[in-house]
Amino acid sequence: MAQAPRMASDRPDIYFLVLDSHPSQEALQEFWQHDNRQFTQELENLGFHVVRDARSRYTKTAHCIYACLNVQHVPTPYDEFPAANEMLSLYYGIQHSAVVELLRRHNYELVNLSLFPLADQPPFYEYAFSDFRRLRNLVLEGSIWHYYRTFGWQRSLRQTNLEILERLAQLPAQAAGRPRFVYAHVLM
């Protein structure tokens, strides 16, 4: 990936790359006898910090991202989130997270390549894994919209991931007058 000098600021670009459901290098080696060191070494050579033996406190993606971008645990037992609104509350908490708001105050450009809204940016794509979206999709299954969602305009996960990777490869060469926060969320 060729890089061109482009920053007008002394603040670095920040890339928050989430390889959702991708096992850690240690887990790949232990359970599948797969050596993933070339991949992680290349990321490190590009200047990325790779978390070793990564684990999550949560089993659901929205909870993990909420905790990361707010630098705090999700309230338990969801005292602040009534059960009916839990997912909507998590999405709102991600969209208006502490990290995003801090970076905006420091004049960072937000580049959202994720399945969650960030500040004023909509999700880059949708994936129906949440209870809220499952219910919405169930209601739509009996309608003409089901046909369009299934066969018409919904791009495949593979297409989405390839588009995210392509955009990530293009970003360093694109001129920007301020530092960037890039959130790319690839579902494996």
Side-chain angles (χ1 to χ4, degrees), residues 6-7 11-17 48 69 99 102-103 106 108-111 168 171 178-184:
R6 49 152 222 82
M7 282 197 349
R11 293 192 175 112
D13 286 349
I14 300 169
Y15 285 77
F16 180 47
L17 306 179
F48 290 96
L69 292 180
V99 169
L102 175 71
L103 293 170
H106 286 278
Y108 269 76
E109 174 189 351
L110 301 178
V111 178
L168 283 172
L171 275 173
R178 54 193 180 140
R180 291 183 177 129
F181 174 71
V182 179
Y183 171 23

Side-chain angles (χ1 to χ4, degrees), residues 124-175:
F124 182 69
Y125 64 98
E126 286 191 7
Y127 187 72
F129 63 84
S130 70
D131 294 335
F132 172 71
R133 289 197 175 140
R134 274 192 218 128
L135 175 61
R136 181 191 69 190
N137 290 346
L138 182 62
V139 170
L140 293 176
E141 277 184 20
S143 72
I144 191 70
W145 289 109
H146 173 68
Y147 173 81
Y148 288 112
R149 282 192 57 80
T150 304
F151 304 106
W153 54 266
Q154 186 179 30
R155 60 185 166 194
S156 74
L157 192 55
R158 181 179 186 277
Q159 289 170 312
T160 300
N161 287 342
L162 289 173
E163 188 172 342
I164 290 170
L165 295 173
E166 183 178 306
R167 289 190 184 204
L168 283 172
Q170 295 169 355
L171 275 173
Q174 294 174 355

